[in-house]
Amino acid sequence: MIQVSDRVSAIAPSMTLAISAKANELKAAGERVINFGVGEPDFNTPDHIVQAAKDALDKGYTKYVAAAGLPALKKAICKKLKDDNGLTYDPSQIIVSNGAKHSIFNALFATINPGDEVLIPKPYWLTYPEVVKSCGGVPVFVMAKARHGYKVTAAQIENMITPKTKMLIFTSPCNPTGAVYSESEIREIAAVCERHNLLVLSDEIYEKLIYGGQMHFSIANVSDRMKELTIVINGVSKSYAMTGWRLGYLACAPEIAKAISSFQSHSTSNVNTMTQYAAIAALEGDDKPMKEMIKAFGQRRDKMLEMLDEMKPLGLDYVKPDGAFYVMLLCDNLYGKSYKGKKITGSMDMADLLLTEMKVAATPGVCFGDDDAIRLSYALSLEDMCEGLKKIADFARECK
């Protein structure tokens, strides 16, 4: 038997695969499945961005470029960070990678040594702890409870810090909860990080997807010291409906950027060249399509919350999300009950029964470290969303 490496063996397989595989089987059999599990905008990439990639191909821009990114793209990213976030970076501090996930891996690989502890608020995006482990680090979870709006406090973070703590992974807006931290909450957390010389990986990929008057504030903008400690992660996937283009970027202190640039030159080299030209068009071009997409998400969110309010007497609840395109649907009141003789003991059972019995796909919360809920995405059509929510209500009504 061939043995794989210890570092790969330590990575847990995605618990969503079983649900996804079952949903695909049902679709292949001709069943209509309403999918609340999607983690990407259901909009096409805007035409001017697609055209920029075509133009790049027509001009012969199909060769290798600098491993850390096209100078013109890095300049556009610097302008974006200055205009949108009040952050000033030199292009040498920007690394363009194959999606924000790749940027996160690079950031952790460059800063985490074996045994270093990384604080991760829970519920968390399921990739965070696996990347920490793959880099030799130790994930340490800080519980963000539903009754607190799925947000951790500065005091909670400080209480978890040990001599081995190296980094905090901080996400606002958050996947899976949609939580958005206020500027005052972020400043309090930053004060703890500064006091303990804690690095912060700030995942800001959903920064444009905020509703209800909330505003995005980057933790790197708290102070010069906090900016030095922070690795800002972003990309074009969510805000510009470019998930399949695979382009993310990070901004960080010069010494970290230099290390990541060197590593990426030996691992992946540059992001495909035409995608980089498309990203320039996204950052510098007309933002009307983006604003229309965000408006549509806001309308869907409002409708979803309106329908979920009507389900509260059925034992379902939620925490109002202010960002991203997800809602954590609290379903633990149904645990211990049965649907057509099949007992519900946790979020995996809940998701499995919704799929097999109602043809509704959702992501079990246990994947994100919270077994009390399932995650519903509203990145699907309003019509499908409403139909799917009615089916979830019917399901809850039949649980005995």
Side-chain angles (χ1 to χ4, degrees), residues 103-113 115-121 128-129 131-133 135 137-142 156-158 160-171 189 192-194 196-203 219 226 228-233 250-253 256 260:
S103 296
I104 290 167
F105 177 84
N106 282 348
L108 288 165
F109 193 83
T111 57
I112 299 302
N113 288 313
D116 285 345
E117 294 178 352
V118 178
L119 301 181
I120 305 175
Y128 292 144
V131 175
V132 170
K133 288 188 289 185
C135 294
V138 179
V140 177
F141 302 110
V142 187
Q156 279 182 285
I157 291 169
E158 188 147 37
M160 299 297 290
I161 294 174
T162 74
K164 293 183 178 180
T165 307
K166 180 73 172 289
M167 175 184 282
L168 165 70
I169 293 181
F170 184 71
T171 315
I189 291 170
V192 172
C193 296
E194 289 182 346
H196 294 274
N197 202 38
L198 205 62
L199 290 173
V200 175
L201 187 146
S202 182
D203 187 346
I219 195 170
M226 198 64 241
E228 184 180 26
L229 289 169
T230 302
I231 303 171
V232 175
I233 304 290
L250 60 80
C252 59
I256 298 176
I260 293 173

Side-chain angles (χ1 to χ4, degrees), residues 202-215:
S202 182
D203 187 346
E204 304 181 14
I205 192 69
Y206 289 97
E207 69 160 328
K208 301 289 187 183
L209 303 175
I210 296 180
Y211 322 100
Q214 288 273 24
M215 298 292 290

Side-chain angles (χ1 to χ4, degrees), residues 35-41 175 206 237-238 243 325-326 375 377 379:
N35 189 4
F36 284 103
V38 289
E40 62 179 344
N175 173 13
Y206 289 97
S237 295
K238 313 298 184 181
T243 51
F325 35 67
Y326 310 108
R375 191 192 72 175
S377 169

Side-chain angles (χ1 to χ4, degrees), residues 49 69 282 297 333 347 376:
I49 298 174
F297 280 141
N333 285 332
S347 62
L376 302 180

